[in-house]
Amino acid sequence: MVGENLLGNEMITLGTIARRGLSVCQRRGIAARILTSNLRSLQNADDALEIVIQQGNDKKPLMVPLVWLRDHCRDPRSYNEATNQRKSNAVDLLEKAKVEGMQSVSITDGTRLAIRWMDGLRSEFPIDDLLSSSQMDQRIDLAKYVKPWKQLNKEELPRMQMSTFSMEKFAELFVKYGLVIVNDVEATSQATETLCRRVAPIHDTFFGAFWVFSNKTHENGEEYHEDTAYGNEGIGPHTDGTYFNQTPGIQVFHCLHPAVEGGDTVLVDGFNCARQLKEENPNAFEILSRRKIEHHYVEVGDTDGGLFSTSREKSVIELDLHGNLVQIR
């Protein structure tokens, strides 16, 4: 848990709900090679290609449907490289995913697979592209990149200087800790928004995409909502935006006018809490990760009417297909 009164020139970026939107690259320590390839039948005769891949001393077969290979063809007549869009027509894709026997398939240096289709188009696939798209090489051990924490003192908080801001360093810290503090950001909404847009596109909501509020919102003419965040009452650890179907993955807070007293920002590593729950109460973890529940926001409103938002059938703990933590609602 972290509690700190943020100064006006410090902006905190945190993944209170999810550490997502930042991809983690997995580097293979062992080079892969294609040894052999043969036509196989899945649903129809010769509609798939079985290739044998070697990594170190391990040899594994990989079955790839021809229709998948044709759909990923990068021939200029099938793919627009400038826009990263396919030109292929899904209606006749199966008909075009045909070859004239194994003479249409070749392997170059054990690292590239080439296919000459019956209609004359040619596809080439590097071994790394095939592996990254297959189930053989999908699992990523996030424990190597994420550092769970229970309590961080001021010296341990991940920080960056605005003058030397680096997106690469920001991404590394954000994935590792789930939060980043950026020092020396000018205490204005304009400077805050500029930095936000350097990190990621801003997601619009019924509150707006970017807004300023305080405990004197009514007096300052700022937009007001019937929410405890707009008052002086302390709020314990919580997640925000759970009632949106696209729950925020990155939240940014910048204190433009520090409080005379109080105003602490309390942060909790939700991923670490989920891991601890799984160890101490697996049944509760199972319920929270599998059972879908409704999340909602209700605001009665005054003259302009109220607000109501609901997100249906979302679990509190979201996992990917390998069981890695993705999001905490």
Side-chain angles (χ1 to χ4, degrees), residues 191-224:
T192 308
E193 184 174 358
T194 297
L195 179 55
C196 289
R197 295 189 183 279
R198 287 183 63 180
V199 173
I202 298 178
H203 177 56
D204 202 0
T205 72
F206 55 66
F207 295 118
F210 183 93
W211 68 99
V212 178
F213 69 94
S214 68
N215 60 344
K216 296 183 178 180
T217 289
H218 275 311
E219 300 174 21
N220 298 336
E222 300 160 349
E223 184 176 350
Y224 175 77

Side-chain angles (χ1 to χ4, degrees), residues 87-99:
K87 295 180 180 179
S88 56
N89 189 336
V91 175
D92 58 4
L93 197 59
L94 285 169
E95 186 64 28
K96 290 183 176 180
K98 295 180 179 179
V99 296

Side-chain angles (χ1 to χ4, degrees), residues 69 73-74 80 93 158 162 199 206 211 215 224 256 300:
L69 292 167
C73 176
R74 293 300 183 258
N80 188 325
L93 197 59
M162 183 61 193
V199 173
F206 55 66
W211 68 99
N215 60 344
Y224 175 77
L256 304 182
V300 177

Side-chain angles (χ1 to χ4, degrees), residues 100-114:
E100 294 180 347
M102 283 305 300
Q103 65 268 24
S104 301
V105 181
S106 61
I107 300 171
T108 304
D109 298 329
T111 61
R112 306 184 79 84
L113 177 74

Side-chain angles (χ1 to χ4, degrees), residues 157-174:
L157 288 170
R159 296 178 182 269
M160 299 180 65
Q161 297 297 124
M162 183 61 193
S163 58
T164 57
F165 181 85
S166 160
M167 189 60 207
E168 180 179 359
K169 185 63 177 178
F170 173 88
E172 179 185 339
L173 292 174
F174 186 76

